Amino acid sequence: MFWNIGALVLGLAYGIILQRARFCFVSAIRDWFLFRSFRIIIGIGAGLALSSVGFAILSLIWQAGGEEPTSRLWVLPLGVNTLVGGLLFGFGMVLAGGCASGTLFRLGEGYVAAFCALVAIVIAFPAGLWLRGHIAFLRPAMAMGEALSLIHI
């Protein structure tokens, strides 16, 4: 019971922070182009920088222990699949009117389109996992080489 209440409080706090900050990748790029507002882009950049530094630290720690960092951090090779997946993901975000976090806080605000986007996310995620197993034979042909990380740069 205690964990349920804690999860509810954390979920509410997370939702309030998302809604008050209007933290959405799509709206960040839209605001950048339409209004020349860099507020959310700076937040996204800071998050990416912080996660990159954390990733590099974890990679160095595991590499110092004699282990290949990519074996534990699940880094996939960069290839055509990354480009196609990124484009499909971006088009999906535009069609949905926001990213997953934007969809969640807009759903809390009562937007009907956000509910439709959430239903599509719930359907598409397991469908993508199922499809992933059925097109595994394409992976070697689509990969261009070794996985990229800060260690390799």
Side-chain angles (χ1 to χ4, degrees):
M1 181 67 179
F2 173 74
W3 294 108
N4 292 340
I5 293 172
L8 179 66
V9 169
L10 284 175
L12 285 172
Y14 180 67
I16 290 169
I17 290 169
L18 277 180
Q19 193 274 333
R20 298 304 301 158
R22 310 292 298 173
F23 192 78
C24 175
F25 286 83
V26 174
S27 64
I29 294 170
R30 181 199 63 220
D31 290 352
W32 180 27
F33 281 108
L34 292 179
F35 308 117
R36 301 289 183 229
S37 172
F38 297 98
R39 185 179 68 89
I40 302 175
I41 288 283
I42 291 171
I44 290 171
L48 286 172
L50 184 63
S51 64
S52 295
V53 169
F55 182 86
I57 290 170
L58 285 175
S59 296
L60 288 171
I61 289 171
W62 281 318
Q63 198 170 31
E67 190 173 346
E68 179 61 31
T70 56
S71 66
R72 292 190 66 179
L73 296 174
W74 203 54
V75 178
L76 299 177
L78 179 65
V80 177
N81 55 343
T82 310
L83 178 66
V84 171
L87 287 173
L88 288 173
F89 190 77
F91 287 136
M93 284 196 309
V94 170
L95 289 175
C99 60
S101 64
T103 298
L104 288 174
F105 78 73
R106 284 185 183 93
L107 181 66
E109 291 175 344
Y111 286 98
V112 176
F115 178 74
C116 296
L118 184 64
V119 168
I121 290 170
V122 168
I123 292 170
F125 184 72
L129 289 176
W130 176 82
L131 184 63
R132 182 176 164 212
H134 286 77
I135 60 170
F137 65 93
L138 292 175
R139 284 193 201 132
M142 295 176 82
M144 291 186 339
E146 198 173 323
L148 293 177
S149 71
L150 288 177
I151 301 303
H152 297 105
I153 296 175

